[in-house]
């Protein structure tokens, strides 16, 4: 059986972000496909994104298990032990709270590019997008926080030696790229809307 390299896994982890990039810049292509399939564009995007998340999780798991030493848990506990575990679990918890909060606040149409597909999506002022504890790009910050937490929780020396930390860096950078792309498109849309209204 092939042993995966961190480069291969990093490439597989990019799949959803390539997909999101295409949809940000060519939403009419997606809407046309969805129309021919008689499918809601946001809901079909949710299905495809979920499948791509399975690809991500499977490739990460494949790499992790292929390089996992027999004494992984004992090594992790010996190298930072309880404090490492508490910090890692706190990062994962914060990340998942932000992810669930984002989905709860925006719903399927808000999370899965409804406004890019021509739907009217009201501006969200609910947490984590609004209020005194608002977080910019909470989905992406939540994803990165979770990825860093999982990496901290699961890294062994054997994993480090084969580039496991590079997977974490690449995965986080993909979310940064998606956030920048989203912000860039929002700025273009707002500028176009302002020009039309003046």
């Amino acid at each position: 059986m092939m042993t995966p390299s961190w480069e291969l896994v990093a490439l597989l982890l990019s799949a959803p972000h390539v997909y999101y990039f295409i949809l940000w810049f060519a939403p009419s292509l997606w809407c046309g496909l969805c129309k021919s399939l008689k499918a809601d564009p946001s809901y079909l995007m949710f299905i495809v994104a979920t499948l791509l998340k399975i690809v991500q999780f499977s490739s990460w798991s494949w790499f992790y298990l292929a390089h996992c030493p027999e004494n992984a848990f004992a090594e992790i506990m010996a190298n930072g032990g309880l404090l490492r575990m508490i910090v890692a679990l706190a990062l994962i918890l914060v990340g998942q709270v932000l992810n669930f909060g984002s989905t709860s606040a925006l719903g399927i149409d808000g999370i899965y590019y409804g406004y890019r597909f021509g739907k009217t999506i009201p501006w969200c002022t609910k947490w984590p997008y609004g209020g005194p504890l608002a977080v910019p790009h909470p989905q992406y910050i939540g994803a990165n926080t979770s990825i860093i937490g999982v990496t901290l929780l699961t890294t062994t020396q054997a994993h480090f030696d084969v580039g496991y930390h590079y997977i974490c860096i690449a995965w986080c950078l993909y979310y940064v790229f998606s956030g920048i792309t989203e912000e860039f498109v929002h700025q273009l849309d707002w500028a176009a809307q302002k020009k039309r209204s003046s």
Side-chain angles (χ1 to χ4, degrees):
M1 182 173 158
M2 180 177 136
T3 302
S5 67
W6 74 264
E7 296 93 343
L8 174 62
V9 174
L11 181 65
L12 292 169
L13 292 175
S14 73
H17 301 279
V18 172
Y19 172 65
Y20 302 151
F21 182 82
I22 292 167
L23 294 186
W24 267 112
F25 287 99
S28 59
L29 292 174
W30 182 251
C31 288
L33 173 66
C34 291
K35 187 175 181 180
S36 68
L37 296 172
K38 296 183 173 126
D40 177 80
S42 295
Y43 186 73
L44 188 57
M45 182 185 175
F46 162 71
I47 299 292
V48 173
T50 300
L51 293 173
L52 290 172
K53 292 289 180 195
I54 292 169
V55 168
Q56 283 185 314
F57 181 75
S58 299
S59 62
W60 173 84
S61 298
W62 177 36
F63 182 90
Y64 188 82
L65 295 173
H67 299 287
C68 195
E70 287 183 25
N71 63 341
F73 183 74
E75 181 183 332
I76 289 166
M77 290 308 292
N79 294 323
L82 188 58
L83 178 61
R84 175 179 171 179
M85 192 173 289
I86 289 169
V87 170
L89 291 173
L91 288 168
I92 294 166
L93 178 65
V94 166
Q96 291 310 299
V97 166
L98 286 172
N99 282 329
F100 285 113
S102 298
T103 303
S104 175
L106 296 180
I108 294 286
D109 287 337
I111 292 286
Y112 293 100
Y113 301 3
Y115 104 93
R116 295 294 295 157
F117 304 143
K119 297 179 181 183
T120 302
I121 307 293
W123 190 256
C124 183
T125 57
K126 294 180 191 173
W127 185 86
Y129 294 93
L133 298 175
V135 178
H137 297 290
Q139 285 174 271
Y140 302 132
I141 290 174
N144 280 348
T145 306
S146 295
I147 291 165
I148 293 166
V150 168
T151 303
L152 179 62
L153 184 65
T154 59
T155 300
T156 66
Q157 187 62 49
H159 289 107
F160 187 84
D161 292 344
V162 293
Y164 185 57
H165 54 294
Y166 294 134
I167 292 171
C168 172
I169 293 166
W171 208 349
C172 287
L173 287 175
Y174 295 145
Y175 280 104
V176 169
F177 175 76
S178 290
I180 291 169
T181 301
E182 185 177 306
E183 190 64 33
F184 176 73
V185 173
H186 281 302
Q187 293 298 328
L188 288 177
D189 288 347
W190 290 330
Q193 185 178 22
K194 187 176 179 181
K195 188 175 181 180
R196 281 192 302 268
S197 63
S198 56

